[in-house]
Amino acid sequence: MSQPTPPGADHPPVVVGNAVGSFAWGVLHDRHPALVERVRQATAYPVEQQHALDALLREIAEGGVIEPLNDTEPGAAQWRLWAKDHIGRCWADVPFLWAESYFYRKLLAALGYFAPGPWQGIDPFAPFKRAELMGTTVDSELAVLDEIPRLPAPQQDTTLLHASLWGNRADLGFQLSTGDSGLGERVTGLVVDDTAALWDLLAGRPPGKVCLVADNAGPELLPDLVLADHLLTTDRASSVSLHIKPYPYYVSDATTSDVLDCLARMSAASGRAAEIGRRLRQAVTGGRLVLRTYPFACAPFPYEDMPDEIREEFASATLTVMKGDLNYRRLVGDRHWPATTPFSAVTAYFPGPVAALRTLKSDVITGLAPHTLTELEATGNAWRTSGTHALVQVRT
């Protein structure tokens, strides 16, 4: 993939992390160092990896500058091309989306994830993801699935869609900023709610392929998979193409191993959860649930720069559903958009109908009605980043 072309003059500036106290500053200044230490404590890494983590902490410290990957690191040449305008600059002064992505790539390099050896392919975030997936809270959430068939069909649609949406509240990276019990009470309403438009788009036509671009693993991926099952069993989709990461990326991001762990978790449960788990396993083996991994999923760029193979995949879908905050930032562009900028305008480049299911956990947002923005701003709360608000946005 080549270096993206510069944006047009009509685009607002990209988000960077040099405004003290901003969300981006907090991630670079607080969240990333905390994650390095959490990874260090979770796995018994040997001395070489420990020293590499120490070096990474020094590099990302306040005032630290971006250094290139070692020439022997797999993929270093591609990252050297992507980083040519950023090497030697302060982390807080480059585009925030790029800086976040490069941090995770350097973390994996420090741990020997890509290099031949005993640590190759070891997911540093697996201890966190599996602990959440095996938690007792998940048992009660899976048990609730037994109640779904008793609901009227339209209510089943809304319930399962919103379960997938609100599952995004609990990702591990967000908890590093808020504390495990600091997620707060979510609001009952959504800042944008195009739920009806989403289901209308899938009705009244022969079922086609739906692309579901996953975000986080563990307890969030479970309702995503349940939603995929619902799309298949209600003939809203002839197949679901589940887009996941080809390797561990942001701390909670779903990989193939995480999908398999979720299927095993459901299949080992009782009642409806077990039925759904078995159906999804059959859907995978029968080709109705297809796992997709593309290198671009871990690239530091917005979807506007997607390669042709992904553009063709999305163009062939009846609907593409983008899950989560990072996918939203990549979908609309990680820029200081005025909040009332139409969602349809910033996603006009997208090759087919697209929906965003997103819990708000970063500053970027588009498509708000002026009166909604006024009401949110009047609260005085950090509604953009607190994880207490969400949206369902659709562009047909």
Side-chain angles (χ1 to χ4, degrees):
M1 180 170 41
S2 61
Q3 187 81 11
T5 55
D10 57 333
H11 283 43
V14 298
V15 175
V16 295
N18 56 14
V20 177
S22 67
F23 173 80
W25 180 88
V27 169
L28 299 176
H29 187 268
D30 299 322
R31 185 186 296 187
H32 286 175
L35 177 59
V36 171
E37 293 300 341
R38 191 174 182 185
V39 166
R40 189 200 300 270
Q41 296 300 319
T43 303
Y45 288 109
V47 171
E48 182 179 358
Q49 274 85 350
Q50 298 287 347
H51 288 168
L53 290 177
D54 291 337
L56 180 59
L57 282 172
R58 291 192 295 270
E59 180 180 341
I60 65 174
E62 188 169 0
V65 299
I66 298 168
E67 299 178 5
L69 288 167
N70 190 295
D71 288 343
T72 61
E73 173 69 16
Q78 178 65 81
W79 276 97
R80 190 179 303 112
L81 175 65
W82 290 343
K84 64 184 179 67
D85 296 327
H86 305 318
I87 295 298
R89 299 178 63 190
C90 288
W91 283 81
D93 293 336
V94 305
F96 176 48
L97 180 65
W98 191 94
E100 274 195 296
S101 185
Y102 193 55
F103 163 77
Y104 281 102
R105 183 59 184 81
K106 295 212 79 174
L107 177 60
L108 292 176
L111 298 174
Y113 181 86
F114 295 101
W119 296 97
Q120 187 176 36
I122 301 299
D123 184 349
F125 314 127
F128 318 141
K129 293 189 285 190
R130 289 173 182 158
E132 285 210 327
L133 183 61
M134 301 310 296
T136 56
T137 300
V138 173
D139 293 327
S140 59
E141 292 174 351
L142 292 177
V144 171
L145 294 173
D146 292 340
E147 307 299 320
I148 299 298
R150 301 170 188 171
L151 301 175
Q155 194 172 347
Q156 292 185 36
D157 293 343
T158 300
T159 298
L160 294 178
L161 183 72
H162 286 191
S164 176
L165 164 67
W166 284 110
N168 183 242
R169 289 179 69 230
D171 79 88
L172 297 168
F174 187 62
Q175 290 179 20
L176 286 169
S177 296
T178 62
D180 289 346
S181 60
L183 295 173
E185 292 298 322
R186 73 173 186 239
V187 294
T188 55
L190 306 178
V191 298
V192 180
D193 188 4
D194 292 340
T195 298
L198 186 151
W199 291 115
D200 287 346
L201 187 61
L202 296 175
R205 66 175 73 192
K209 178 177 69 177
V210 171
C211 290
L212 177 56
V213 184
D215 188 34
N216 297 313
E220 181 185 347
L221 186 57
L222 286 169
D224 292 346
L225 290 167
V226 172
L227 178 61
D229 174 74
H230 186 67
L231 293 171
L232 293 171
T233 57
T234 60
D235 288 328
R236 263 57 169 267
S238 59
S239 65
V240 172
S241 182
L242 182 66
H243 288 234
I244 50 181
K245 300 299 190 296
Y247 53 82
Y249 191 41
Y250 285 45
V251 58
S252 300
D253 282 8
T255 65
T256 301
S257 294
D258 299 313
V259 173
L260 297 178
D261 285 345
C262 284
L263 294 181
R265 182 74 161 94
M266 283 192 286
S267 299
S270 59
R272 186 168 174 78
E275 295 174 10
I276 294 172
R278 287 191 290 270
R279 279 201 303 266
L280 287 171
R281 288 173 62 92
Q282 292 169 358
V284 172
T285 59
R288 298 190 71 203
L289 178 60
V290 181
L291 306 187
R292 300 286 190 197
T293 58
Y294 293 99
F296 184 77
C298 296
F301 305 121
Y303 279 106
E304 192 168 10
D305 299 317
M306 73 181 89
D308 289 342
E309 61 177 346
I310 300 181
R311 186 174 297 275
E312 292 167 3
E313 163 84 355
F314 291 153
S316 66
T318 302
L319 174 66
T320 295
V321 178
M322 292 281 184
K323 275 296 311 292
D325 203 76
L326 175 59
N327 280 324
Y328 188 85
R329 290 164 55 199
R330 297 186 74 189
L331 177 64
V332 305
D334 202 34
R335 296 177 174 275
H336 291 285
W337 298 106
T340 55
T341 304
F343 178 70
S344 59
V346 296
T347 58
Y349 71 90
F350 203 82
V354 62
L357 304 184
R358 177 219 182 183
T359 307
L360 275 58
K361 294 182 294 186
S362 64
D363 290 320
V364 177
I365 192 167
T366 66
L368 290 190
H371 72 275
T372 300
L373 177 61
T374 299
E375 292 172 0
L376 290 167
E377 291 294 316
T379 66
N381 298 325
W383 58 271
R384 291 174 181 254
T385 60
S386 62
T388 58
H389 295 70
L391 58 78
V392 179
Q393 287 178 315
V394 176
R395 196 223 73 198
T396 58

